[in-house]
């Protein structure tokens, strides 16, 4: 199976590093709480992308006696760390900063600078999100965004897309908050913008963490992959029926365990040869299937595929 390229993460890292520097400079120059919250968010995104790159590297380490099936699921652990950082470093800190400025009522200076930086950031984040959505559509052309979000087994792509959505929506909130502050002269809008950005980040981080947690616990292959594998096995002439089938997503790969009623064979050796042919054909048809555990079974009354 082809290795996933981390190029998209490198591009996002470079973009967020540049955006973070601009935001910190603008926050220092204008005194904007919303801008400062956005600068913290972009800095957190840089750390998140470094964690994802490290997680992808760890996930590609070969199998060992301690990890006989490899470490493909390790990327899920680092994706969960990213979601937690997005929640606490990005979201909770932004809420804290907003509450602090709500009471401090610090004036906003040179708001047009903040608006210019936010406008440029919106364009860059929109391009980044467009790249993530393009990748999702290429891999899953028949799925809507929400369905893909609930069914995907690609935790690193899930995190990148979630970050991009949170970043773009947060920038829109910060832009409106700074604009209202500039028009009304009331710094409360800027503080409320920081709080709004923080709450938004915390909500998206929670949604991402919930999905990644499910991957860590252990999920089957995606519904369409599982259905295709089962249909492929049922079509085999050597198999009378599927008694039970379990799939397990293991990083980029899939584990398949099958109990199937076989046709009659003259000898046990002939049945073993037939099972070997079935396994080789299954892995050739579905390159993501790394491990196949096949158990010939006598059909039991009322048995059904699980």
């Amino acid at each position: 199976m082809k290795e996933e390229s981390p190029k998209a993460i490198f591009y996002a890292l470079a973009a967020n590093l540049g955006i973070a520097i601009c935001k910190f400079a603008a926050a220092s120059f204008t005194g904007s709480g919303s801008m400062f919250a956005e600068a913290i968010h972009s800095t957190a995104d840089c750390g998140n992308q470094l964690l994802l790159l490290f997680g992808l590297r760890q996930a590609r380490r070969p199998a060992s006696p301690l990890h006989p099936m490899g470490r493909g699921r390790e990327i899920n652990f680092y994706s969960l760390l990213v979601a937690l950082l997005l929640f606490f470093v990005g979201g909770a800190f932004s809420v804290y900063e907003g509450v602090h400025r709500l009471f401090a009522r610090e004036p906003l200076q040179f708001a047009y600078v903040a608006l210019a930086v936010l406008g440029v950031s919106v364009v860059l984040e929109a391009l980044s999100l467009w790249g993530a959505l393009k990748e999702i559509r290429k891999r899953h052309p028949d799925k809507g965004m929400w369905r893909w979000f609930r069914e995907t087994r690609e935790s690193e792509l899930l995190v990148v897309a979630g970050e991009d959505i949170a970043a773009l929506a947060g920038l829109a909130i910060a832009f409106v908050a700074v604009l209202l502050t500039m028009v009304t002269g009331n710094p409360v809008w800027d503080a409320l913008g920081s709080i709004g950005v923080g709450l938004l980040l915390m909500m998206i981080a929670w949604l991402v963490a919930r999905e990644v947690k499910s991957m860590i616990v252990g999920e089957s292959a995606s519904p369409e992959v599982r259905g295709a594998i089962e249909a492929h096995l049922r079509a085999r002439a050597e198999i009378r029926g599927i008694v039970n089938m379990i799939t397990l997503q293991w990083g980029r790969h899939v584990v398949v365990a099958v109990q199937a009623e076989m046709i009659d064979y003259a000898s046990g050796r002939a049945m073993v040869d037939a099972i070997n042919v079935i396994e080789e054909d299954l892995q050739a048809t579905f390159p993501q299937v790394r491990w196949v555990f096949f158990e010939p079974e006598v059909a039991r009354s009322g048995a059904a595929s699980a």
Side-chain angles (χ1 to χ4, degrees):
M1 187 176 179
K2 185 179 178 180
E3 295 285 342
E4 297 294 341
S5 172
K7 283 185 178 179
I9 302 177
F10 279 121
Y11 293 151
L13 174 61
N16 276 303
L17 182 60
I19 291 172
I21 293 172
C22 292
K23 287 177 179 177
F24 272 119
S28 176
F29 189 64
T30 63
S32 168
S34 295
M35 179 61 72
F36 187 69
E38 278 296 317
I40 293 296
H41 172 208
S42 294
T43 303
D45 280 352
C46 292
N48 292 345
Q49 282 134 21
L50 289 173
L51 276 176
L52 287 178
L53 289 170
F54 182 74
L56 284 173
R57 181 179 178 182
Q58 292 295 102
R60 291 170 180 168
R61 294 175 65 181
S64 66
L66 183 60
H67 301 283
M69 296 175 69
R71 304 177 66 158
R73 291 174 67 180
E74 191 161 346
I75 183 60
N76 298 336
F77 169 74
Y78 286 97
S79 296
L80 183 61
L81 287 184
V82 168
L84 292 175
L85 285 172
L86 186 63
F87 186 95
F88 289 105
V89 178
F93 185 83
S94 295
V95 171
Y96 166 79
E97 180 67 19
V99 172
H100 169 73
R101 289 178 180 267
L102 191 62
F103 290 100
R105 300 290 181 92
E106 298 177 8
L108 178 63
Q109 299 175 339
F110 306 105
Y112 60 89
V113 175
L115 291 175
V117 171
L118 288 171
V120 171
S121 299
V122 165
V123 173
L124 294 175
E125 290 290 0
L127 290 173
S128 179
L129 179 58
W130 176 81
L133 293 178
K134 182 180 178 181
E135 185 67 20
I136 292 169
R137 284 194 297 268
K138 183 175 73 174
R139 299 186 192 182
H140 309 280
D142 300 327
K143 287 187 179 182
M145 187 63 185
W146 180 247
R147 182 185 169 197
W148 171 82
F149 183 84
R150 295 307 309 271
E151 295 181 356
T152 184
R153 305 301 189 260
E154 302 156 306
S155 60
E156 69 281 3
L157 187 55
L158 174 70
V159 170
V160 169
E163 278 189 343
D164 286 343
I165 292 171
L168 193 57
L171 285 167
I173 292 174
F175 188 92
V176 171
V178 172
L179 184 61
L180 287 173
T181 301
M182 184 177 69
V183 171
T184 64
N186 188 348
V188 169
W189 290 112
D190 185 52
L192 292 176
S194 181
I195 294 172
V197 169
L199 292 176
L200 174 72
L201 293 178
M202 293 169 77
M203 181 186 71
I204 292 180
W206 177 78
L207 290 172
V208 170
R210 184 183 66 175
E211 296 301 320
V212 175
K213 181 205 72 172
S214 183
M215 297 180 203
I216 290 175
V217 171
E219 290 186 334
S220 67
S222 61
E224 66 271 17
V225 171
R226 189 189 185 285
I229 290 173
E230 184 171 351
H232 177 85
L233 291 172
R234 288 187 183 279
R236 297 289 309 190
E238 303 93 334
I239 297 176
R240 279 205 179 104
I242 303 296
V243 179
N244 191 22
M245 187 185 84
I246 295 173
T247 62
L248 179 64
Q249 191 72 37
W250 199 272
R252 295 172 295 107
H253 302 294
V254 174
V255 182
V256 179
V258 184
Q259 288 178 294
E261 182 189 7
M262 305 292 289
I263 62 175
D264 295 329
Y265 284 93
S267 66
R269 177 66 187 181
M271 180 178 290
V272 170
D273 290 340
I275 290 173
N276 287 336
V277 170
I278 293 171
E279 292 179 346
E280 290 173 2
D281 182 61
L282 181 65
Q283 290 176 311
T285 305
F286 300 93
Q288 66 267 51
V289 174
R290 173 67 65 87
W291 302 275
V292 182
F293 302 98
F294 199 104
E295 179 182 349
E297 186 67 76
V298 176
R300 291 170 286 187
S301 176
S305 176

